[in-house]
Amino acid sequence: MSKYFLNYLDELESEAIFVLREVWAQFENPVILFSGGKDSILVTHLAHKAFYPARVPFPLLHIDTGHNFPETIEFRDRLASEKGLQLLVGSVQQSIDTGRVAEERGKNATRNILQTTTLLDTIEAQKIDCAIGGGRRDEEKARAKERFFSHRDDFGQWDPKNQRPELWNLFNGKQFEGEHFRAFPISNWTEMDVWNYLLREQIDIPSLYFAHERQVVWRNDSWIPVSDHLKLEPGEAIEIKKIRFRTLGDITITGGIESDADTLEKIVTEVAAMRQTERGNRTDDKRSESAMEDRKREGYF
Amino acid sequence: MELNNNQLLRFTTAGSVDDGKSTLIGRLLYDSKSIFEDQLASIEATSKRKGHEGVDLALFTDGLRDEREQGITIDVAYRYFTTPKRKFIIADTPGHIQYTRNMVTGASTANAAIILIDARHGVIEQTKRHAFIASLLQIPHMIVCINKMDLVDHQEAVFNDIVSQFEVFSSKLDVQDVRFIPISALNGDNVVNRSEQMNWYQGSPLLHTLETLHISSDTNKIDARFAVQTVLRPQREGFLDYRGYAGRIASGIYRVGDAVTVLPSGFTSKIASINSGEEEVSEAFAPMSVSMTLEDDIDISRGDMIVKTNNQPEMHQEFDVMLCWLNDQPARPRAKYSLMQTTNEQKAMIKEVVYQIDINTYARNTENKNLTMNAIARVTIKTTRPFMLDSYRDNRMTGSIILIDETTNETVAAGMVV
Ligand SMILES: Nc1nc2c(ncn2[C@@H]2O[C@H](COP(=O)(O)OP(=O)(O)O)[C@@H](O)[C@H]2O)c(=O)[nH]1
């Protein structure tokens, strides 16, 4: 075989870098949607490669549910200051306080859905014309049809039936006043690819991803971490387990799994052996089979 | 896991409704253990609700809710699976007549096309259409899967007959590598595992074929083309004079010291350095994303192309393309559209419709000048500035264009330079 071919990780990296540079070239005011999770950390890392030796030209936008893992916030602040990135924060708490949204009630109440309004308000207020996300097509059925450049109308909505065709490497980012785009540079990565790449590049990720002892409650088939926001239901008991998280979201609904994987190598081995998609541990997708699609239409990530 | 040298292979699937495309993809994912437990649980629940017996593998590939309800696939959906040999990306596109546009979209980046034929029906109109689009988009490898062999008693004669039917019309097409595999997607024969029912078939099962297709030479490594996406000017200590041209190499190989010409200006220089991320490299090749610096200070911006001085594209303001119309709004004769080629954008118009092609019969029609949704036609394009011309046949990355209607901002057409 000739030496002039890329292995799959290099090809995915090259594709993502191409998308990030297209975003920078085609939009006026793009940002990286930063959740503190591994996918948005990966996107930030790829942006670093895409623009080196110049600085990453995108600010990070964090939509803060107020239901954070403290570790996520520490990590976010450290990354922003190390890489010299501007940090924008849209606060869900503020959206609640100003009456833009109402807090959900009940046992599975989450602030994930409320993020949509805060995000769209921030996009409008900051005149953001492209929000770069760490969404991957393998995550969930509804995402399988996403484009790299995904058009949103002036209500921030996605119309899966009327997407612009996307051919070759030719991305059409043209828009009218009030509309915006989402860009997904790591569309073609799977969870396994992400882990393999994080390992290969030795990328720093929050400690929550590694197995650690934590106070948790068994709920919705996973271990929900104890936090100020968690209200115990009758019959639930706090236990201490060695767990790790596969995604980081709203702390009230993000479940961990029992694990001994405390290094990137061990996580890769464990993920390879695992037969559950990572969103399977987030209760908001379990509500209905079409839950993700409904939220996407409304302008969720 | 040792995956270091594993390549990425992108393929599309085409077949008409009920040929078994969803079942085949479901089978590939299932047998290669790419379906996760929770996804399987949700498919099982849906299968039960719809009154299916057992698991309907086809459900795994049905994406959006409307489609699930209508029971049809309506757009391009991407699926992923990995084997110890390769990573695969499937662009799953529907086979209905009104969705030529989706097939073209899915085919544009594919290394291989799987075309499904129902063994009971043999070659039908859709088969010809799918093969035509695969050849039009120059997908390097075509794999024709003759499915539902279990319904024709796994007979070799049926398979051979369909192969000859296919060869009769495919001889008129520009295809380089065609293979035929008899399968039963439902039972898994010759998909991942070799069939015990069809010992007469000497070739590889589908998955093994996909794992071993020679794809390194699918990208053009001869004509060096590098379209500048953006210019990197780090305003910081140590890099104050740095001017890096960032882009993804479309084709060919670049080395430090190469004599290059910048188009369209025609200025010449030499490559001073090449960076891949933080790492300085001495050579780089397609499809790497890199940044380059040149020895001379030249004015270069987005849309310019850096090529090797001894291998340059021709510059033309009028040229022919095979155009596929993708929009509900028909083409407006002589209207100005925005034309994108690599990172270059300029105004252009369709000067003339030379002929349209009937994708079922491959007949040419020189009378009909109206380009409506799904039309495929040879047209003459006129641009306002010189266009760097590489034929699509030689170069899928620089020989491809899209047209954007600036009154709607929609991508209305895709074209391949003749
Ligand atoms: N007997 C048999 N039936 C098949 C085979 N492949 C698919 N089918 C059936 O054909 C029907 C259509 O299959 P589906 O995968 O939904 O077709 P699609 O419309 O091409 O996606 C379903 O009832 C499948 O179970 C096969 O190899 N043998």
Side-chain angles (χ1 to χ4, degrees):
Chain A
M1 209 179 316
S2 120
K3 64 171 177 158
Y4 296 113
F5 74 90
L6 293 181
N7 75 33
Y8 77 104
L9 281 180
D10 288 328
E11 186 159 343
L12 291 174
E13 176 192 79
S14 167
E15 176 179 85
I17 289 174
F18 175 81
V19 176
L20 287 162
R21 289 167 169 175
E22 266 324 89
V23 170
W24 174 240
Q26 292 197 36
F27 297 94
E28 300 284 324
N29 193 19
V31 299
I32 292 177
L33 281 176
F34 190 83
S35 67
K38 69 181 192 312
D39 297 320
S40 56
I41 293 167
L42 169 61
V43 169
T44 310
H45 175 86
L46 291 163
H48 172 76
K49 283 202 175 192
F51 297 97
Y52 180 88
R55 275 193 223 293
V56 174
F58 314 115
L60 302 182
L61 170 60
H62 181 221
I63 300 302
D64 181 356
T65 58
H67 286 172
N68 297 299
F69 287 91
E71 291 93 332
T72 309
I73 299 299
E74 276 161 40
F75 188 91
R76 174 195 80 184
D77 293 345
R78 184 156 42 87
L79 184 75
S81 82
E82 273 173 17
K83 290 247 159 45
L85 303 172
Q86 189 194 347
L87 181 66
L88 304 171
V89 179
S91 157
V92 172
Q93 187 61 52
Q94 204 177 342
S95 303
I96 295 170
D97 296 344
T98 54
R100 291 282 294 137
V101 292
E103 187 102 68
E104 286 192 348
R105 286 160 202 280
K107 176 169 137 186
N108 288 335
T110 112
R111 287 185 165 183
N112 269 2
I113 294 169
L114 309 186
Q115 282 176 285
T116 305
T117 305
T118 310
L119 173 64
L120 293 177
D121 287 353
T122 312
I123 284 175
E124 199 177 320
Q126 304 273 347
K127 298 203 184 329
I128 291 163
D129 55 357
C130 182
I132 304 164
R136 293 181 280 110
R137 289 173 179 153
D138 85 316
E139 268 178 85
E140 208 278 340
K141 274 188 276 191
R143 284 198 199 265
K145 314 207 154 183
E146 264 295 7
R147 304 296 197 250
F148 283 101
F149 273 25
S150 178
H151 177 256
R152 302 301 154 107
D153 66 18
D154 47 1
F155 296 101
Q157 299 185 95
W158 181 57
D159 180 2
K161 271 200 180 159
N162 194 22
Q163 302 191 74
R164 292 179 186 174
E166 203 165 71
L167 299 104
W168 299 291
N169 277 341
L170 301 172
F171 299 158
N172 172 1
K174 290 188 194 297
Q175 59 189 311
F176 294 111
E177 188 74 28
E179 301 176 345
H180 75 279
F181 270 78
R182 302 290 168 84
F184 300 103
I186 58 166
S187 287
N188 278 332
W189 300 50
T190 62
E191 183 187 15
M192 200 61 222
D193 298 334
V194 172
W195 284 115
N196 272 315
Y197 187 83
L198 293 172
L199 172 63
R200 186 184 90 169
E201 304 277 307
Q202 291 293 309
I203 297 170
D204 196 20
I205 51 172
S207 55
L208 296 160
Y209 283 111
F210 301 99
H212 57 288
E213 292 207 329
R214 199 171 190 106
Q215 290 195 318
V216 287
V217 168
W218 184 246
R219 183 184 285 182
N220 290 319
D221 292 332
S222 61
W223 294 106
I224 302 290
V226 171
S227 70
D228 295 347
H229 308 287
L230 188 84
K231 294 186 187 56
L232 282 194
E233 298 286 315
E236 286 180 341
I238 294 176
E239 295 175 61
I240 293 183
K241 290 278 169 192
K242 191 159 186 195
I243 61 158
R244 68 177 184 86
F245 296 93
R246 303 180 66 197
T247 62
L248 306 181
D250 182 328
I251 193 169
T252 63
I253 56 152
T254 304
I257 53 166
E258 279 187 78
S259 168
D260 284 321
D262 52 7
T263 64
L264 273 173
E265 283 83 356
K266 287 186 196 164
I267 292 175
V268 168
T269 312
E270 195 177 277
V271 173
M274 191 114 50
R275 306 256 43 100
Q276 282 225 323
T277 47
E278 54 188 66
R279 285 196 164 263
N281 285 76
R282 285 171 54 162
T283 40
D284 48 341
D285 284 332
K286 285 188 185 152
R287 291 177 175 187
S288 96
E289 213 193 330
S290 304
M292 173 68 117
E293 190 183 328
D294 291 337
R295 278 180 295 126
K296 281 203 65 143
R297 280 181 195 270
E298 288 159 12
Y300 182 75
F301 292 50
Chain B
M1 224 192 304
E2 204 26 83
L3 287 165
N4 275 337
N5 278 326
N6 287 2
Q7 287 175 300
L8 177 62
L9 183 132
R10 301 172 201 249
F11 66 94
T12 62
T13 50
S16 50
V17 183
D18 284 347
D19 281 351
K21 189 158 60 72
S22 313
T23 309
L24 175 64
I25 295 175
R27 171 62 64 189
L28 275 172
L29 298 170
Y30 188 75
D31 283 2
S32 66
K33 308 212 166 26
S34 308
I35 298 186
F36 295 105
E37 258 170 32
D38 50 341
Q39 291 172 319
L40 201 56
S42 126
I43 293 167
E44 273 165 357
T46 312
S47 302
K48 208 179 258 165
R49 210 174 55 232
K50 295 201 170 162
H52 287 287
E53 258 178 57
V55 184
D56 183 359
L57 283 179
L59 280 177
F60 182 73
T61 62
D62 281 352
L64 301 181
R65 187 179 48 189
D66 291 351
E67 291 162 62
R68 281 203 295 283
E69 278 162 11
Q70 294 165 22
I72 52 161
T73 317
I74 53 166
D75 199 324
V76 188
Y78 296 89
R79 323 275 164 202
Y80 303 84
F81 70 102
T82 305
T83 70
K85 300 217 172 71
R86 264 185 187 160
K87 170 180 165 99
F88 296 94
I89 302 181
I90 312 176
D92 179 17
T93 60
H96 321 269
I97 185 155
Q98 61 272 44
Y99 297 119
T100 298
R101 126 183 176 152
N102 298 327
M103 235 200 103
V104 169
T105 304
S108 69
T109 50
N111 303 94
I114 293 183
I115 295 184
L116 270 175
I117 295 179
D118 185 323
R120 293 169 304 172
H121 307 141
V123 167
I124 56 171
E125 212 167 66
Q126 271 99 327
T127 316
K128 295 189 186 170
R129 194 185 305 152
H130 298 145
F132 178 78
I133 293 175
S135 83
L136 182 72
L137 274 290
Q138 290 281 308
I139 301 180
H141 312 276
M142 206 185 283
I143 304 170
V144 182
C145 288
I146 292 147
N147 189 30
K148 308 200 186 179
M149 286 301 291
D150 54 306
L151 298 182
V152 296
D153 297 331
H154 303 104
Q155 286 178 72
E156 184 177 9
V158 175
F159 173 76
N160 287 342
D161 186 42
I162 295 174
V163 171
S164 2
Q165 286 171 30
F166 191 94
E167 283 173 340
V168 166
F169 74 88
S170 68
S171 61
K172 291 178 220 150
L173 297 174
D174 185 12
V175 289
Q176 300 145 38
D177 173 25
V178 192
R179 295 148 201 248
F180 300 89
I181 307 178
I183 65 167
S184 165
L186 193 65
N187 302 333
D189 288 58
N190 284 339
V191 179
V192 171
N193 303 311
R194 175 167 289 284
S195 169
E196 288 173 11
Q197 315 287 335
M198 294 180 271
N199 288 326
W200 47 264
Y201 173 70
Q202 305 292 318
S204 315
L206 176 62
L207 184 63
H208 184 258
T209 305
L210 290 168
E211 285 178 330
T212 52
L213 281 178
H214 182 68
I215 55 172
S216 299
S217 46
D218 289 356
T219 28
N220 178 333
K221 294 280 163 27
I222 301 185
D223 310 303
R225 302 283 185 265
F226 179 77
V228 176
Q229 285 185 277
T230 183
V231 181
L232 304 177
R233 303 226 51 180
Q235 311 290 336
R236 64 180 170 117
E237 198 87 21
F239 295 97
L240 287 174
D241 291 328
Y242 186 93
R243 246 180 113 77
Y245 306 106
R248 191 175 194 192
I249 300 176
S251 54
I253 302 164
Y254 287 85
R255 296 188 179 85
V256 172
D258 279 350
V260 292
T261 298
V262 181
L263 297 175
S265 69
F267 288 124
T268 57
S269 184
K270 281 198 171 134
I271 297 177
S273 71
I274 303 176
N275 261 80
S276 164
E278 286 187 31
E279 194 189 342
E280 253 197 78
V281 294
S282 58
E283 64 175 4
F285 53 90
M288 287 172 71
S289 281
V290 296
S291 61
M292 287 181 194
T293 60
L294 300 185
E295 286 183 0
D296 305 277
D297 225 346
I298 311 178
D299 185 24
I300 298 177
S301 51
R302 174 174 169 84
D304 289 349
M305 184 125 65
I306 299 176
V307 303
K308 292 213 199 159
T309 304
N310 61 11
N311 178 334
Q312 302 189 24
E314 292 175 33
M315 307 283 278
H316 288 279
Q317 276 183 255
E318 261 190 50
F319 52 91
D320 282 10
V321 306
M322 294 302 299
L323 199 70
C324 180
W325 198 258
L326 308 170
N327 204 259
D328 288 327
Q329 295 290 321
R332 297 189 305 277
R334 302 190 73 84
K336 285 226 165 60
Y337 290 98
S338 179
L339 180 152
M340 268 187 93
Q341 176 209 24
T342 64
T343 60
N344 192 296
E345 205 183 316
Q346 61 165 315
K347 297 275 184 292
M349 68 169 183
I350 302 168
K351 198 181 158 215
E352 198 199 335
V353 177
V354 184
Y355 58 78
Q356 301 214 26
I357 290 196
D358 180 326
I359 56 171
N360 299 317
T361 62
Y362 309 163
R364 293 176 182 185
N365 177 335
T366 51
E367 304 296 311
N368 182 2
K369 303 288 180 191
N370 288 333
L371 296 180
T372 55
M373 174 78 121
N374 295 318
I376 293 177
R378 178 170 180 143
V379 304
T380 305
I381 300 257
K382 189 172 167 165
T383 54
T384 42
R385 286 183 277 121
F387 176 90
M388 298 166 234
L389 190 137
D390 280 319
S391 79
Y392 184 78
R393 202 175 192 295
D394 291 337
N395 204 320
R396 282 174 96 189
M397 285 300 123
T398 56
S400 46
I401 62 159
I402 56 170
L403 297 182
I404 299 166
D405 182 342
E406 292 203 313
T407 62
T408 60
N409 283 341
E410 283 174 21
T411 304
V412 293
M416 287 132 287
V417 176
V418 178

